[in-house]
């Protein structure tokens, strides 16, 4: 029976070094191979030109090198680019390049589909198929870095984990991917330029703090009233705001890093004075800022963007209480690349 060969990029540097030692070779050979795989991003063992033919053959006999393939790029009128990313097993995720005057941001996916069930999000309608591996997350970033250099003459400057999936439900792989992205052997990016966005899983937020991560944390809050939040984000019934608050206090006490709350205001759902007061109160627990995100419709009558006045009321109340609040306009709406719109709509066209 033929056993399936393992993806060599699923191995740590240590494991690759161990493989060489176990096969009677020197551990440093592992460093060389690791560099080919990550810094030089080769797709084939034959491209590892300073590695002997026999060694390359031994690698070939034991491993494969999986890579993502950008199957389709769609460009928005505002310059945003959406990549449909084909994984080695044929599944597809999406990632987005968002250019501004001064930066290029990559918005990347962490799962195929999503484990959660936020009613306003298109990705939530897809079943969660599987977690992405560290190399699949890393490759999305590397692909967007290439596109940024090609189209904007500058490297990627920021990364947000706001694509498909819940990063904290794929904790180990997301952390491993960020380790590679920030490592000099990988893309050498500063963790301060990386934001992980979570719908709020208290236990995992505490774990981030314990693991002393150095990237930024954003929480998709959308309501500071338990009944409202659990209605629009049903999974949050298991994670009451009290627990979320406690985990964020813990996060701040350990990291001293300000939290960003993402918040969409919907008509008749969270646009009353009670909702505003609850948010202002919640914002006082830990140092934070609020990003009021424009709603991106997903063919659903239940959710509609609140009136400009409601947004204004939120901003006034937050600012009067010394809380920084910004309205974030959506990018890439015309190609379904904006927050919450990633749902592989064009997959039929790719096949
Ligand atoms: N699971 C993570 C990251 C993916 S979603 C999280 O929940 O944070 C990225 C952001 O888009 C989240 O803030 C999410 O609440 C928001 N979002 C989802 N659907 C949206 C929609 N239709 N319009 C605007 N924002 C949306």
């Amino acid at each position: 029976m033929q056993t399936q060969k393992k993806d060599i990029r699923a191995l740590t540097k240590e494991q690759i070094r161990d493989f060489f030692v176990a096969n009677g070779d020197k551990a440093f050979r592992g460093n060389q191979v690791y560099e080919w795989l990550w810094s030089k991003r080769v797709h084939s063992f034959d491209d590892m030109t300073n590695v002997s033919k026999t060694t390359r053959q031994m690698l070939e006999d034991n491993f494969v090198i999986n890579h993502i393939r950008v199957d389709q790029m769609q460009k928005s009128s505002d310059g945003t680019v959406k990549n449909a990313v084909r994984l080695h097993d044929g599944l597809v995720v999406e990632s987005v390049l968002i250019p501004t005057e001064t930066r290029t941001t990559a918005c990347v996916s962490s799962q195929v589909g999503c484990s959660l069930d936020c009613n306003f999000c298109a990705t939530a309608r897809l079943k969660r198929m599987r977690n992405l591996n560290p190399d699949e997350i890393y490759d999305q970033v590397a692909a967007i870095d290439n596109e940024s250099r090609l189209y904007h003459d500058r490297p990627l400057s920021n990364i947000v984990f706001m694509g498909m999936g819940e990063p904290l439900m794929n904790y180990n792989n997301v952390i491993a991917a960020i380790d590679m992205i920030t490592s000099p052997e990988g893309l050498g990016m500063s963790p301060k330029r990386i934001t992980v966005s979570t719908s709020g899983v208290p236990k995992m937020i505490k774990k981030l703090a314990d693991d002393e991560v150095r990237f930024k944390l954003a929480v998709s809050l959308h309501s500071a009233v338990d009944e409202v939040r659990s209605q629009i984000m049903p999974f949050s019934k298991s994670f009451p705001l009290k627990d979320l608050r406690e985990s964020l206090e813990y996060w701040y006490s350990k990291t001293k890093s300000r939290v960003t709350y993402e918040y969409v205001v919907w008509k008749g759902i969270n646009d009353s004075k009670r909702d505003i007061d609850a948010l202002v109160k919640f914002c006082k627990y830990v140092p934070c800022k609020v990003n009021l995100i424009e709603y991106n419709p997903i063919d659903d009558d239940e959710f509609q963007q609140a009136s400009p006045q409601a947004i204004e009321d939120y901003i006034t109340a937050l600012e009067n209480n010394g809380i920084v609040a910004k309205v974030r306009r959506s990018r890439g709406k015309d190609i379904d690349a904006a927050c919450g719109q990633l749902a592989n709509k064009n997959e039929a066209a790719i096949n």
Side-chain angles (χ1 to χ4, degrees), residues 120-121 162-163 165-166 197-199 220 222 262 294-296 339-340:
F120 47 83
C121 179
M162 295 187 189
E166 167 51 48
S197 174
T198 175
S199 50
S220 302
H222 303 311
E262 296 157 273
E294 196 182 350
Y295 176 54
N296 303 305
C339 283

Side-chain angles (χ1 to χ4, degrees), residues 4 22 26 32 42 50 64 77-78 130 139 151 172 200 278 313 316 338:
Q4 233 188 347
K26 302 264 187 310
Q32 280 178 327
V42 295
N50 64 355
V64 289
S77 51
D78 65 19
R130 68 169 172 87
D139 283 358
Y151 301 121
N172 290 342
D313 291 347
T316 311

Side-chain angles (χ1 to χ4, degrees), residues 16-299:
I16 299 180
R17 285 163 59 93
D18 291 348
F19 170 82
F20 280 105
V21 175
N23 283 281
D25 205 332
K26 302 264 187 310
F28 87 87
R29 189 83 60 217
N31 299 5
Q32 280 178 327
V33 168
Y34 194 76
E35 199 184 325
W36 280 111
L37 292 172
W38 295 97
S39 312
K40 300 185 186 144
R41 300 184 215 153
V42 295
H43 286 222
S44 140
F45 293 113
D46 277 340
D47 293 337
M48 302 181 172
T49 47
N50 64 355
V51 177
S52 76
K53 205 156 183 230
T54 337
T55 306
R56 278 183 281 162
Q57 190 56 50
M58 180 176 71
L59 289 169
E60 189 84 55
D61 292 343
N62 286 279
F63 301 107
V64 289
I65 307 177
N66 285 339
H67 269 278
I68 63 159
R69 200 175 73 210
V70 177
D71 263 3
Q72 192 195 38
M73 284 173 61
Q74 279 176 282
K75 200 159 185 190
S76 156
S77 51
D78 65 19
T80 301
V81 172
K82 182 168 80 171
N83 290 339
V85 168
R86 177 81 62 185
L87 308 171
H88 69 94
D89 55 2
L91 293 172
V92 175
V93 291
E94 294 177 331
S95 37
V96 185
L97 175 161
I98 308 156
T100 65
E101 287 277 296
T102 51
R103 337 169 138 181
T104 312
T105 301
C107 173
V108 297
S109 295
S110 54
Q111 297 181 312
V112 186
C114 189
S115 336
L116 303 179
D117 51 6
C118 305
N119 291 337
F120 47 83
C121 179
T123 311
R125 294 182 180 174
L126 306 172
K127 211 171 75 203
R128 187 199 80 94
M129 306 289 287
R130 68 169 172 87
N131 284 336
L132 292 188
N133 297 326
D135 53 319
E136 293 169 327
I137 298 171
Y138 179 89
D139 283 358
Q140 293 176 66
V141 174
I144 293 182
D145 182 41
N146 283 342
E147 288 165 11
S148 178
R149 289 169 197 269
L150 195 64
Y151 301 121
H152 300 281
D153 255 340
R154 60 188 187 208
L156 181 65
S157 59
N158 297 73
I159 304 171
V160 294
F161 280 78
M162 295 187 189
M164 300 165 106
E166 167 51 48
L168 299 193
M169 298 290 222
N170 182 15
Y171 189 94
N172 290 342
N173 292 352
V174 166
I175 297 292
I178 294 177
D179 282 348
M180 271 315 300
I181 292 165
T182 52
S183 140
E185 282 160 324
L187 297 171
M189 283 187 69
S190 160
K192 296 200 173 56
R193 294 180 171 273
I194 302 175
T195 301
V196 169
S197 174
T198 175
S199 50
V201 189
K203 204 170 98 192
M204 302 320 276
I205 292 175
K206 284 187 175 169
K207 184 162 168 50
L208 286 176
D210 284 335
D211 289 344
E212 297 177 6
V213 299
R214 289 179 306 128
F215 48 77
K216 293 190 195 155
L217 180 66
V219 175
S220 302
L221 191 58
H222 303 311
S223 174
V225 178
D226 270 317
E227 306 95 85
V228 178
R229 195 161 192 266
S230 54
Q231 210 187 331
I232 57 178
M233 304 165 83
F235 73 89
S236 72
K237 282 193 197 94
S238 325
F239 307 121
L241 286 158
K242 178 173 76 53
D243 294 357
L244 181 60
R245 165 192 174 176
E246 199 213 317
S247 69
L248 293 169
E249 286 169 341
Y250 187 75
W251 157 269
Y252 188 79
S253 74
K254 289 252 174 174
T255 63
K256 297 284 173 282
S257 167
R258 183 165 78 151
V259 179
T260 300
Y261 294 127
E262 296 157 273
Y263 202 100
V264 179
V265 188
W266 291 283
K267 196 177 280 177
I269 292 179
N270 59 355
D271 58 353
S272 72
K273 179 159 185 322
R274 171 184 176 236
D275 296 295
I276 298 178
D277 291 346
L279 177 63
V280 168
K281 187 167 171 214
F282 196 85
C283 285
K284 292 187 175 162
Y285 299 142
V286 291
C288 65
K289 66 174 177 153
V290 176
N291 280 346
L292 291 164
I293 315 175
E294 196 182 350
Y295 176 54
N296 303 305
I298 57 156
D299 309 330

